[in-house]
Amino acid sequence: MNADGSGKRLLTRNTSHVYAWSPDGRKIAFGRGRDDNDDIYVMNADGSGQRNLTRTRDQLNQGAVWSPDGRRIAFTRLSSRDEPNAEVYVMNADGSGQRRLTRNPWEDLTPAWSRDGRKIAFSGGTGIFVTNADGSGERPLTRSGFGPVWSPDGRKIAFTGGDRNGSDVYVMNADGSGRRNLTRRPVNYGGQGGPTPAWSPDGRKIAFDRGRGIFVMNADGSGQRRLTQFGREPRWSPDGRMIAFLSISAGNVEIFVMNADGSRLTNVTRSAADEHRFAWSPRQVR
């Protein structure tokens, strides 16, 4: 749909999840579950040309993330046959050259490409790890935390960290040094994860959810400001002018959009169904 909620179009007619736009905005990668199996598909931005890239049996392939140059896709795979844990894989954008990057006795999840495409950060066990894009040089960055998000300049990584008292937004240098708690007000999310930090396109601010509201702060943690009284999973528009997020409205989950200062709050879906896993296009799609 358009950013104002107009022009909604159905692109897939099967159960699908986790959408990721290619950097040029021409294709969408997504997951589809069928017959106890989840595969990663790709399609054109208008929904045409749908293709199964992974083509596996009895496996869960999820969390597709495009490399910055659009040539590769990182994802996670859990096999019920020979892999006891989810591992990080990478493949070419056409599905060829599938390669396993991690081999750990714990769950490896949420892969995130560095801005130069040379490294992939991911959540592993109870901490954040980083590996070269070919699987070499894997090393831990933290002993706790999950959900790494690279800053636009690739110099820092934001992530969710916490303990039994609750979760906070942290930031560290890309090598794991200089770790800092930016929010310092842990909120217990009741087993539903934690705050989901999102860098503004210029890297100057971080949006995040806390409790039931959307907040924004400077990248150093200063100037924290509440934008809404409700909502979760904020995501910036590519130009940094708007923030979209999820919230419950009239009993179901809807997608809302607002200006980056919290003004002009608008429910853009207004449907009877629950909306999830939304993504801004990197450019306008006609």
Side-chain angles (χ1 to χ4, degrees):
M1 64 181 172
N2 298 322
D4 63 1
S6 65
K8 294 185 181 73
R9 289 191 297 132
L10 179 65
L11 299 185
T12 65
R13 295 186 178 275
N14 304 92
T15 301
S16 53
H17 56 85
V18 187
Y19 317 101
W21 289 88
S22 63
D24 61 8
R26 295 180 178 179
K27 295 186 180 294
I28 300 173
F30 63 99
R32 174 178 289 165
R34 181 182 296 172
D35 300 327
D36 297 323
N37 191 79
D38 277 7
D39 276 309
I40 293 173
Y41 287 68
V42 70
M43 62 183 171
N44 297 324
D46 63 2
S48 65
Q50 296 182 25
R51 290 194 302 128
N52 186 338
L53 299 185
T54 47
R55 295 185 178 278
T56 56
R57 294 183 60 185
D58 300 323
Q59 294 180 338
L60 301 179
N61 301 277
Q62 299 179 334
V65 186
W66 295 82
S67 63
D69 62 8
R71 296 181 179 180
R72 293 169 293 173
I73 296 174
F75 62 101
T76 61
R77 173 176 291 171
L78 173 64
S79 172
S80 60
R81 293 177 296 175
D82 55 7
E83 296 170 20
N85 306 301
E87 303 284 357
V88 176
Y89 282 70
V90 70
M91 62 182 168
N92 296 325
D94 62 1
S96 65
Q98 295 181 30
R99 181 177 182 180
R100 179 175 170 177
L101 299 188
T102 63
R103 297 179 180 275
N104 294 314
W106 52 68
E107 298 280 319
D108 294 323
L109 303 167
T110 64
W113 292 88
S114 62
R115 297 311 184 219
D116 60 8
R118 296 180 179 180
K119 296 182 181 296
I120 297 175
F122 62 94
S123 306
T126 59
I128 307 295
F129 287 72
V130 69
T131 179
N132 295 326
D134 62 2
S136 66
E138 179 183 313
R139 63 190 183 88
L141 297 181
T142 72
R143 294 183 179 180
S144 63
F146 61 92
V149 186
W150 295 81
S151 62
D153 63 8
R155 296 179 179 179
K156 295 183 180 296
I157 297 174
F159 62 98
T160 300
D163 53 30
R164 62 183 180 182
N165 295 317
S167 300
D168 275 303
V169 176
Y170 288 74
V171 71
M172 62 182 168
N173 297 324
D175 62 2
S177 65
R179 178 180 175 181
R180 294 177 55 209
N181 183 339
L182 298 187
T183 50
R184 296 189 177 279
R185 281 184 59 190
V187 174
N188 194 318
Y189 287 75
Q192 301 299 313
T196 53
W199 293 90
S200 62
D202 62 9
R204 295 180 179 180
K205 295 184 180 296
I206 298 175
F208 62 99
D209 53 56
R210 171 185 286 158
R212 296 184 178 180
I214 304 297
F215 290 71
V216 69
M217 61 183 168
N218 297 324
D220 62 1
S222 66
Q224 294 183 29
R225 194 159 58 93
R226 185 170 194 159
L227 300 183
T228 72
Q229 299 297 318
F230 53 88
R232 56 189 174 87
E233 298 184 30
R235 298 180 185 177
W236 296 82
S237 62
D239 61 8
R241 296 180 179 179
M242 294 183 288
I243 297 174
F245 62 96
L246 296 175
S247 186
I248 295 177
S249 176
N252 61 284
V253 182
E254 304 274 14
I255 298 174
F256 286 74
V257 172
M258 62 183 169
N259 291 334
D261 62 2
S263 64
R264 299 191 66 180
L265 179 65
T266 305
N267 181 341
V268 295
T269 48
R270 295 186 180 279
S271 71
D274 285 339
E275 273 73 47
H276 297 287
R277 323 244 182 201
F278 63 98
W280 289 92
S281 70
R283 67 186 181 102
Q284 184 175 356
V285 178
R286 298 184 182 277

